[in-house]
Amino acid sequence: DGNESSKAYPYLIAKTFPDGLRGLLVVSMVLAMMSSLDSVFNCVSTIFTHDIFLRFLQPGASPRRQILLGRLVTCVTACCGLAWLPIIAASAKGLYLTTQNAQTHMSPCLVAVFLVGLFWPRANGTGALAGMLVGFATGLTRFILNAMAGDQCEPWSALQARSITCMNFNHMGLLLFVLTALVTVVVSLLTKAPEAKQLDGTTWWSRPSTSQAASRCEVMLGGTLLTVLVGLVLAFGSETVSGAVLAPLGMSVVIAIFASVLSLRVCFDTSRRKASESAFTGLQGELPMQEEKPPQSKDPVGQA
């Protein structure tokens, strides 16, 4: 039961940890949720105020009006979040699956538009807008149909395998990603290409050049993250290969991560030191040279 599985973590805290540590874990969990929620509220308020209100509704609004509108949007967003709680409570999937199901119908559209715009300079704003509209509309329609289907979409059923309505939400997220990317590409090709000055610093190919040390650090950091993922997968084993074979390999990969982290620390410290030295040298070169003044006589007789 999804609702019972949502109680597993609180039950673990209540039965395993002592009183002081139990309260600390509960407070840390609440603070983590608060940090995520206030980030979302602030993001929604900023987007609505700057991208909709100031751009289309009232471009000359005063800062006081903008602050009041931002607070109002934050309250409305919080109320929408509270209205979502009964849906989560009534769902048999539990908190985690219900939340992931809703996010997976929306987030692939944003990721697809971001990646297409980052790696393909021909993409433009019209294509991105069309891709997001089509992706969001398709995802929202499928989410509503899946919620209306209810118990008909049982896990591992034949209907789930061949029906888009009952398809697993992770598979649907992949389809939404592909659909949004295709719409963005097609509409961008049919409309005007962006100008060169609009692409400056906004794509992978027009990014500002960095130093050689910083580039090595980025490569090492990316390799470390991939190593972490591979190591965790191998350490926990799989359904087809024995865990006795994969676990030692996975643990060795995890051990190699620590060496990579140490190398990254040294690399970042070196690049930061070089950047500080170059900035200090450039600042010294920009300072004007002051002419030396001859020393003044301190003899009172001579001054008289």
Side-chain angles (χ1 to χ4, degrees):
D1 188 2
N3 292 324
E4 294 297 328
S5 62
S6 300
K7 303 176 183 178
Y9 185 70
Y11 184 81
L12 176 65
I13 295 177
K15 295 297 182 180
T16 306
F17 298 97
D19 292 339
L21 188 58
R22 187 187 307 153
L24 180 62
L25 290 175
V26 172
V27 170
S28 63
M29 182 174 61
V30 173
L31 292 178
M33 290 189 296
M34 290 177 60
S35 65
S36 301
L37 290 175
D38 63 18
S39 300
V40 173
F41 295 158
N42 187 30
C43 180
V44 173
S45 174
T46 304
I47 291 176
F48 183 85
T49 303
H50 288 272
D51 295 342
I52 298 178
F53 183 73
L54 289 178
R55 191 173 182 180
F56 301 105
L57 300 180
Q58 192 173 351
S62 62
R64 180 179 178 83
R65 183 178 293 272
Q66 296 178 32
I67 294 175
L68 293 177
L69 179 64
R71 293 175 178 175
L72 178 61
V73 173
T74 302
C75 294
V76 173
T77 307
C79 293
C80 292
L82 294 176
W84 181 255
L85 294 179
I87 301 178
I88 297 177
S91 176
K93 298 178 181 179
L95 173 62
Y96 179 77
L97 290 179
T98 303
T99 306
Q100 292 300 314
N101 186 20
Q103 291 181 351
T104 308
H105 287 82
M106 301 297 173
S107 57
C109 308
L110 298 175
V111 176
V113 170
F114 175 79
L115 292 180
V116 171
L118 180 64
F119 293 105
W120 190 46
R122 181 61 177 79
N124 55 22
T126 305
L129 180 60
M132 286 191 294
L133 289 178
V134 173
F136 284 146
T138 305
L140 183 61
T141 303
R142 193 268 176 184
F143 179 77
I144 295 175
L145 293 176
N146 180 262
M148 294 175 61
D151 297 336
Q152 298 179 6
C153 299
E154 296 181 358
W156 312 111
S157 63
L159 182 61
Q160 186 187 31
R162 65 173 183 267
S163 174
I164 295 181
T165 302
C166 296
M167 182 186 299
N168 186 275
F169 62 86
N170 292 310
H171 300 162
M172 189 62 198
L174 180 60
L175 293 181
L176 290 174
F177 179 88
V178 175
L179 175 63
T180 305
L182 288 177
V183 173
T184 303
V185 170
V186 172
V187 176
S188 297
L189 291 175
L190 296 177
T191 53
K192 182 181 178 180
E195 300 179 1
K197 62 180 181 180
Q198 294 177 325
L199 300 176
D200 188 18
T202 59
T203 66
W204 176 263
W205 317 111
S206 62
R207 68 187 189 278
S209 60
T210 55
S211 62
Q212 185 177 1
S215 299
R216 287 199 302 267
C217 291
E218 293 175 357
V219 173
M220 293 175 63
L221 181 59
T224 302
L225 293 177
L226 292 177
T227 306
V228 170
L229 296 178
V230 174
L232 292 177
V233 171
L234 295 180
F236 283 100
S238 65
E239 297 180 356
T240 57
V241 183
S242 174
V245 178
L246 292 179
L249 180 60
M251 293 305 298
S252 62
V253 172
V254 173
I255 293 174
I257 294 172
F258 291 97
S260 302
V261 171
L262 293 177
S263 301
L264 280 173
R265 180 62 181 271
V266 174
C267 184
F268 277 117
D269 290 343
T270 304
S271 61
R272 186 181 302 174
R273 191 182 308 110
K274 289 182 178 180
S276 300
E277 292 176 356
S278 61
F280 181 73
T281 304
L283 182 61
Q284 284 184 333
E286 294 177 359
L287 291 176
M289 297 295 294
Q290 298 181 357
E291 298 181 357
E292 296 184 358
K293 297 181 179 180
Q296 298 180 358
S297 175
K298 297 183 179 180
D299 187 5
V301 178
Q303 291 180 358

